[in-house]
């Protein structure tokens, strides 16, 4: 192999991993794996590994560690995640006073950015005013996003700078929603490219250190704009010699009304846009009471949320994308919001044919409130549901956000088992920075769903976080997301306390090491701690390595 200037390059050594456990369909008892270039060359037993090991290979002694396909986050936001990691961490703040103290302690000249507050967990949910935020910051602009990033608290100076007066969602107070929130957030995101790159690189490094090999980046005009998405997509095609990161799978949430516009928009970006989907919002969030509901919020009966798109708009978008063979879709959380999406699917099918709609592989993000009739229709149209299990872990417990906002309706939230049983394609993500990039915690959330009837097995949850993510993004390689000979060498190595086979039914013995199960083993997730990532590799290139890996 040579570079374009004629200088020879050395082919990387094959790497033999041995003395551990390999999660592979090729051999449930595999303890070793050989990686040659960007491909899995072989998986097998320790005895066989001894026979093929030679001086041409780098040999890594796993010392009992697990090698498993790398995680795919099917819904996240790079710039927002990087900003959240570098700004005020407000998840543990329990009062308005705590928010003001955090703002007062923020260093630098501003703006003061923070993320993660959730007033539903406070004893007194009263929020600080814009004037109080202004005084606490000493006149610096303040933007503090709620945990769901569908509303925020802003200071007087930011409200003025962002031109919030007269915008929908601004009443002169500190809290902003809807159009006013979009304007406030965009005002704080006008950053030099090098700053945006720093934030995105921070998020990518965080993902790599937690075993992610790919991330579906959900760009949209109201989030970071086209330049932000172009920057995010560029990390995958960075030139040799730069720090390698997880693959970015870019989506763009902009409405189209014709096949020509759909094709033109994809061509305009020019970097392998995966679809016109993601955070193209039909509605908002439950936490901010902007998710569209059929009946009122339990804790605010006169409110039923917001619809940002109607059936005509959504149907035209899906029809245009279907004709162009482009994946389309929406952000939808409330049941009334899902009604719009499903009616749009019906109308698009009437216009362009059901087969075209099915073939496009459309996707819906979140889909937290979904009943049996809706599940049947999602299956009929082969619509992928991109869900966030950590939402249930954070908000699904008795007395949690779901119950406060929805009462009895909360029991039917995020019905993973019902979706799987109906044959609806499901993939999982974090919606980072809404929930952190902790994939095993997300797998655990599937096993410990607040509704025992909706729990799924560790194997199903793991596949939803790995192979299903590649399929949802319509990846060209059908072998992506598994470790078998010929598959892409994209995986993570994990230090684990114990490996087990786990099923979802709590009425039977759920944990087993019985080899007769012929099922690859996964980490026991009832130990109180997540597995520790020792290495992350994408297409044979190391993205992250702990010093413990080769010590």
């Amino acid at each position: 192999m040579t570079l374009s200037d004629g200088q020879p390059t050395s082919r990387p050594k094959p790497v033999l991993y041995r003395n551990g456990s390999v999660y592979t369909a090729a051999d449930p008892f595999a303890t070793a794996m050989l990686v040659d270039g960007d491909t899995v060359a072989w998986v097998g037993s320790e005895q066989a590994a001894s026979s093929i090991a030679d001086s041409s290979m780098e040999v890594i002694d796993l010392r009992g560690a697990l090698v498993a396909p790398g995680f795919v986050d099917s819904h996240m936001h790079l710039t927002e995640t990087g900003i959240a990691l570098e700004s005020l961490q407000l998840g543990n703040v329990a009062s308005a006073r705590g928010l003001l103290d955090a703002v007062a302690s923020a260093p630098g000249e501003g703006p003061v950015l923070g993320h993660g507050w959730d007033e539903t967990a406070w004893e007194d949910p009263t929020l600080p005013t814009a004037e109080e935020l202004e005084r606490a910051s000493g006149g610096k602009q303040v933007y503090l996003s709620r945990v769901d990033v569908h509303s925020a608290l802003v200071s007087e100076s930011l409200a003025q700078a962002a031109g919030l007066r007269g915008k929908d969602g601004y009443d002169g107070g500190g809290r902003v929603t809807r159009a006013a929130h979009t304007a406030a957030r965009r005002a704080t995101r006008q950053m030099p490219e090098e700053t945006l790159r720093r934030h995105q690189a921070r998020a990518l490094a965080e993902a790599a250190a937690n075993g992610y090999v790919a991330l579906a980046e959900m760009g949209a005009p109201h989030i970071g704009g086209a330049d932000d998405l172009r920057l995010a997509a560029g990390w995958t095609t960075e030139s040799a010699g730069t720090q390698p990161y997880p693959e970015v799978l870019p989506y763009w949430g902009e409405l189209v009304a014709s096949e020509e516009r759909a094709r033109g928009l994809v061509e305009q970006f020019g970097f392998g846009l995966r679809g016109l989907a993601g955070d193209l919002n039909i509605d908002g969030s439950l936490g901010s009471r902007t998710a569209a509901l059929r009946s009122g919020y339990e804790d605010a009966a006169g409110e039923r949320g917001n619809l940002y798109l109607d059936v005509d708009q959504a149907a035209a978008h899906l029809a245009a994308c279907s004709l162009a063979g482009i994946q389309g879709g929406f952000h939808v959380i409330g049941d009334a919001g899902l009604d719009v999406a499903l009616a749009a699917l019906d109308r698009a099918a009437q216009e362009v044919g059901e087969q075209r709609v099915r073939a496009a592989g459309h996707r819906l993000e979140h889909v937290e409130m979904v009943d049996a009739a809706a599940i049947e229709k999602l299956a009929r149209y082969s619509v992928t549901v991109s869900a966030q299990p950590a939402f249930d872990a954070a908000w699904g417990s008795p007395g949690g956000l779901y119950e406060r906002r929805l009462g009895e309706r909360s029991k039917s939230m995020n019905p993973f088992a019902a979706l799987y049983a109906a044959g609806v394609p499901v993939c999982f993500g974090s919606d980072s920075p809404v929930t952190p990039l902790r994939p095993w915690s997300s797998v655990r959330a599937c096993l410990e769903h607040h509704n025992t009837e909706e729990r799924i097995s560790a194997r199903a949850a793991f596949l939803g976080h790995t192979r299903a993510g590649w399929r949802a993004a319509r990846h060209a390689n059908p072998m992506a997301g598994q470790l078998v000979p010929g598959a892409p060498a994209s995986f993570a190595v994990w230090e684990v306390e114990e490996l087990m086979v786990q099923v979802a039914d709590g009425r039977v013995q759920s944990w087993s090491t019985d080899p007769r199960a012929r099922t690859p083993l996964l980490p026991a997730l009832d130990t109180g701690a997540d597995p520790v990532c020792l290495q992350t590799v994408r297409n044979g290139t190391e993205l992250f390595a702990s010093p413990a890996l080769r010590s």
Side-chain angles (χ1 to χ4, degrees):
M1 180 184 294
T2 61
L3 295 173
S4 58
D5 62 3
Q7 296 298 312
T9 64
S10 58
R11 179 181 174 85
K13 282 186 174 184
V15 183
L16 178 64
Y17 295 82
R18 60 183 302 182
N19 190 30
S21 182
V22 181
Y23 186 93
T24 173
D27 180 357
F29 311 123
T31 62
M33 180 176 77
L34 179 65
V35 173
D36 190 2
D38 61 0
T39 303
V40 175
W42 169 86
V43 292
S45 68
E46 190 62 25
Q47 181 179 4
S50 297
S51 68
I52 66 173
D54 61 40
S55 60
S56 70
M57 303 174 181
E58 178 187 4
V59 178
I60 293 180
D61 185 351
L62 294 170
R63 290 171 289 184
L66 170 69
V67 181
F71 285 100
V72 179
D73 193 310
S74 290
H75 187 120
M76 67 94 63
H77 305 276
L78 280 175
T79 299
E80 294 294 315
T81 297
I83 290 172
L85 289 169
E86 295 187 3
S87 63
L88 297 176
Q89 306 295 306
L90 305 175
N92 293 323
V93 171
S95 66
R97 181 72 263 165
L99 286 181
L100 293 171
D101 289 343
V103 169
S105 67
E109 298 301 316
V112 178
L113 304 179
H115 169 73
W117 57 270
D118 180 2
E119 82 289 0
T120 65
W122 301 355
E123 184 174 339
D124 177 3
T126 304
L127 297 171
T129 66
E131 294 83 357
E132 289 172 328
L133 291 167
E134 191 76 17
R135 287 195 297 271
S137 70
K140 293 181 285 190
Q141 295 180 13
V142 179
Y143 171 89
L144 310 177
S145 57
R146 195 182 182 281
V147 63
D148 55 15
V149 202
H150 279 263
S151 61
L153 293 168
V154 300
S155 62
E156 287 184 314
S157 55
L158 177 57
Q160 183 175 356
L164 301 189
R165 185 177 300 279
K167 288 192 180 297
D168 179 41
Y170 179 66
D171 61 5
R175 185 170 186 170
V176 293
T177 61
R178 302 188 295 276
H181 173 241
T182 296
R185 177 165 63 178
R186 292 298 301 271
T188 64
R189 300 312 191 247
Q190 304 306 308
M191 303 173 183
E193 182 175 314
E194 59 268 25
T195 304
L196 289 174
R197 284 182 64 87
R198 187 187 80 237
H199 289 313
Q200 291 190 1
R202 174 70 186 276
L204 287 161
E206 176 79 2
N210 284 281
Y212 289 97
V213 295
L215 310 163
E217 169 68 5
M218 298 299 172
H222 67 280
I223 299 178
D227 289 342
D228 185 77
L229 185 63
R230 287 191 181 94
L231 188 63
W235 294 102
T236 301
T237 56
E238 289 279 333
S239 59
T242 60
Q243 170 65 41
Y245 287 117
E247 182 171 351
V248 176
L249 307 169
Y251 283 86
W252 181 243
E254 182 175 337
L255 199 67
V256 295
S258 69
E259 177 184 358
E260 293 72 24
R261 177 57 180 160
R263 292 185 186 277
L265 199 52
V266 171
E267 292 171 3
Q268 175 184 320
F269 278 97
F271 48 63
L273 198 68
R274 295 281 161 172
L276 300 175
D279 277 338
L280 176 51
N281 291 359
I282 283 180
D283 68 350
S285 74
L286 292 168
S288 294
R289 294 199 194 93
T290 52
L293 306 184
R294 294 171 183 166
S295 57
Y297 281 87
E298 193 75 12
D299 54 355
E303 298 184 28
R304 296 175 62 179
N306 302 94
L307 284 172
Y308 303 129
L309 298 176
D310 60 30
V311 174
D312 289 341
Q313 292 171 306
H317 180 79
L318 291 174
C321 290
S322 298
L323 287 171
I326 294 167
Q327 197 173 37
F330 309 99
H331 160 119
V332 56
I333 288 179
D335 48 9
L338 185 57
D339 288 342
V340 170
L342 297 177
L345 281 163
D346 283 337
R347 191 171 298 178
Q350 291 170 3
E351 181 178 338
V352 305
E354 185 171 322
Q355 185 54 40
R356 283 185 183 272
V357 172
R358 289 172 55 87
H362 300 310
R363 56 187 289 160
L364 296 178
E365 310 300 313
H366 313 310
V367 194
E368 295 178 60
M369 297 182 71
V370 53
D371 58 23
I375 290 173
E376 182 180 354
K377 188 164 290 188
L378 291 170
R380 172 183 169 186
Y381 289 118
S382 298
V383 174
T384 293
V385 168
S386 169
Q388 291 69 44
F391 286 6
D392 185 79
W395 305 317
S397 60
L401 171 70
Y402 286 162
E403 188 174 286
R404 290 192 186 98
R405 291 287 191 262
L406 302 171
E408 285 296 309
R409 290 170 290 177
S410 66
K411 295 178 180 178
S412 61
M413 299 289 288
N414 299 303
F416 300 146
L419 289 165
Y420 270 79
V424 176
V426 180
C427 61
F428 295 123
S430 66
D431 199 11
S432 179
V434 176
T435 67
L437 292 162
R438 299 292 183 270
W440 289 113
S441 292
S442 188
V443 172
R444 182 187 295 108
C446 294
L447 313 181
E448 299 177 353
H449 195 290
H450 80 280
N451 181 348
T452 57
E453 296 298 317
E454 295 301 344
R455 293 175 179 174
I456 58 176
S457 70
R459 181 172 180 270
F462 182 72
L463 292 175
H465 284 84
T466 54
R467 192 175 184 185
W470 293 112
R471 289 180 171 179
R474 305 178 76 187
H475 194 272
N477 191 332
M479 301 179 75
Q482 52 185 326
L483 298 180
V484 296
S490 295
F491 57 90
V493 178
W494 301 93
E495 182 179 30
V496 296
E497 295 183 17
E498 191 173 4
L499 293 170
M500 292 181 173
V501 175
Q502 197 268 346
V503 298
D505 193 341
R507 296 168 297 179
V508 299
Q509 179 61 42
S510 61
W511 297 95
S512 172
T513 54
D514 188 343
R516 290 174 298 178
R518 301 280 312 167
T519 301
L521 302 178
L522 284 168
L525 296 175
D526 60 350
T527 62
D530 285 354
V532 176
C533 188
L534 299 176
Q535 186 190 39
T536 306
V537 174
R538 177 174 70 85
N539 293 338
T541 299
E542 185 173 86
L543 309 182
F544 165 81
S546 164
L549 178 71
R550 296 180 174 91
S551 63

